Amino acid sequence: MQGDQSDYTEFVFFPLTFSGLSCAIISCLASFIVSILCIYSKFYKKQVGLVVLWINFTDFIFCGFKILNVFIPHRSNATCAFVQAVSGYGLVSSVISSVLFGYVLYIMLKIRSSEIPARIFNIYIGIALLVPAVEVIGVLLADFVVYSEQLDTCVHRVHKRSVDYSFIFLRDIPFGLFCFLSIVCYVRIVWTIKSVVRHARNSDLLAFMAYPGIVICCWLPNLVNNALTEFGVEINHTVITFFLMFGQLQGLWDAIAYGTSKNIRMFCSQRCKKRSEVEDENMGQSLTKYSSEDNAEGTHINFE
């Protein structure tokens, strides 16, 4: 997951081994399943449902292009820039959408409605779609990810005792800002609920903090690792590998946190119930059919 040279350290953003991609594969499958459920259950027709769909779809893009890199036959700086631009767009858009999800919930609670004005919601969607384009431009202009001949994959190089401006402007500042805004949104949600529902349990209110906690837990360690490497601190390879892989689990945590909404749970429950009823009905019809055939033929079955 990491390569060392005399004057820089290479952080592997696109591993090639199954073990290195295991977390990305898990997240890719989880986000894909939730995205399909959002569409199939028509949850996406609601404002909150549309945000949930977009969060999981962009998680799918983020992890999916990490897996796609394995199948690119002749990797180069150009192919690395391409897969990072698309994958990075998915990551940044997912994080922004998570913040917007919190703000949409806050506005709904504030105006006590299940919908917010369409004009405002369209602005939020525009932000989730357009702002991540800065990631694409930055990746293409700043050589954020390059091809490593030694590792034969796409890496981010951190030069020792040198300021990594590309990481600061593409990861440190935006992710720090997103985490801060997300925490603010969910603190206000908790405060609003507590002011309306006086007997709300603290354990239920703290559960809301899991949403901003996903981004913080997945990416704060990686931001710290990068900063320490800039100052020449040698970090254990296993530690770096662990946190890089843990960051790729964002899709799984998002799928669990956002995909377990009441609408999706009800849809799955109804589907399972209908399937069970159909199976019971088919079994009953089969038994009736066999019973009538046996009686017609004068067959007697003795259980002795």
Side-chain angles (χ1 to χ4, degrees):
M1 296 291 289
Q2 181 192 36
D4 288 310
Q5 301 293 336
S6 58
D7 58 340
Y8 60 78
T9 299
E10 294 180 334
F11 289 82
V12 177
F13 280 11
F14 293 82
L16 299 177
T17 63
F18 178 79
S19 59
L21 285 169
S22 57
C23 292
I25 293 172
I26 292 172
S27 289
C28 197
L29 290 173
S31 56
F32 176 76
I33 291 171
V34 173
S35 297
I36 294 299
L37 287 175
C38 283
I39 296 173
Y40 200 46
S41 66
K42 295 182 173 56
F43 183 39
Y44 72 94
K45 291 186 176 181
K46 297 183 178 181
Q47 290 179 342
V48 172
L50 184 60
V51 178
V52 170
L53 172 60
W54 185 250
I55 289 173
N56 283 276
F57 177 68
T58 49
D59 281 333
F60 176 76
I61 293 176
F62 167 57
C63 294
F65 272 79
K66 288 190 176 295
I67 300 171
L68 179 64
N69 178 65
V70 177
F71 302 100
I72 296 178
H74 303 293
R75 282 176 283 274
S76 63
N77 284 338
T79 60
C80 287
F82 170 71
V83 292
Q84 175 57 37
V86 181
S87 178
Y89 177 91
L91 172 62
V92 175
S93 184
S94 174
V95 174
I96 291 177
S97 300
S98 298
V99 179
L100 295 178
F101 180 86
Y103 196 72
V104 167
L105 285 182
Y106 170 68
I107 296 298
M108 287 179 177
L109 286 171
K110 190 175 181 180
I111 65 177
R112 299 190 180 185
S113 172
S114 60
E115 299 281 331
I116 65 174
R119 181 179 60 84
I120 297 177
F121 185 73
N122 290 335
I123 292 175
Y124 295 161
I125 295 299
I127 292 173
L129 291 172
L130 298 178
V131 172
V134 176
E135 163 81 10
V136 177
I137 297 172
V139 166
L140 298 177
L141 295 179
D143 291 331
F144 184 63
V145 170
V146 296
Y147 173 68
S148 170
E149 293 185 0
Q150 178 190 2
L151 301 175
D152 189 31
T153 190
C154 308
V155 301
H156 173 71
R157 285 177 180 163
V158 180
H159 292 268
K160 299 175 182 178
R161 296 180 178 83
S162 177
V163 180
D164 187 359
Y165 290 105
S166 64
F167 203 88
I168 290 175
F169 286 103
L170 292 176
R171 287 295 178 269
D172 290 336
I173 293 177
F175 276 57
L177 177 62
F178 298 151
C179 288
F180 173 75
L181 292 176
S182 188
I183 291 173
V184 170
C185 285
Y186 285 100
V187 166
R188 297 181 76 176
I189 287 174
V190 171
W191 183 262
T192 303
I193 294 176
K194 205 164 186 177
S195 63
V196 175
V197 185
R198 295 183 179 180
H199 300 290
R201 294 184 300 179
N202 291 331
S203 58
D204 293 335
L205 296 176
L206 288 175
F208 279 99
M209 302 313 296
Y211 295 98
I214 292 173
V215 177
I216 296 172
C217 292
C218 285
W219 297 109
L220 182 59
N222 288 294
L223 302 183
V224 173
N225 281 342
N226 194 83
L228 292 176
T229 304
E230 290 180 39
F231 289 102
V233 178
E234 296 291 338
I235 303 175
N236 185 276
H237 289 197
T238 304
V239 173
I240 293 178
T241 300
F242 172 79
F243 285 123
L244 282 172
M245 292 179 65
F246 191 79
Q248 295 171 11
L249 284 175
Q250 175 179 314
L252 173 64
W253 306 132
D254 282 344
I256 294 173
Y258 299 99
T260 54
S261 66
K262 183 178 179 181
N263 295 72
I264 293 179
R265 291 201 311 270
M266 287 180 61
F267 171 76
C268 293
S269 176
Q270 290 172 357
R271 293 295 299 177
C272 292
K273 184 178 180 180
K274 287 181 180 179
R275 182 177 180 181
S276 177
E277 290 175 350
V278 170
E279 290 177 349
D280 290 343
E281 183 179 351
N282 291 337
M283 183 177 292
Q285 291 175 353
S286 299
L287 290 173
T288 302
K289 178 182 177 182
Y290 293 139
S291 177
S292 61
E293 290 177 352
D294 290 341
N295 290 333
E297 297 173 1
T299 302
H300 300 279
I301 303 177
N302 296 320
F303 298 94
E304 296 178 350

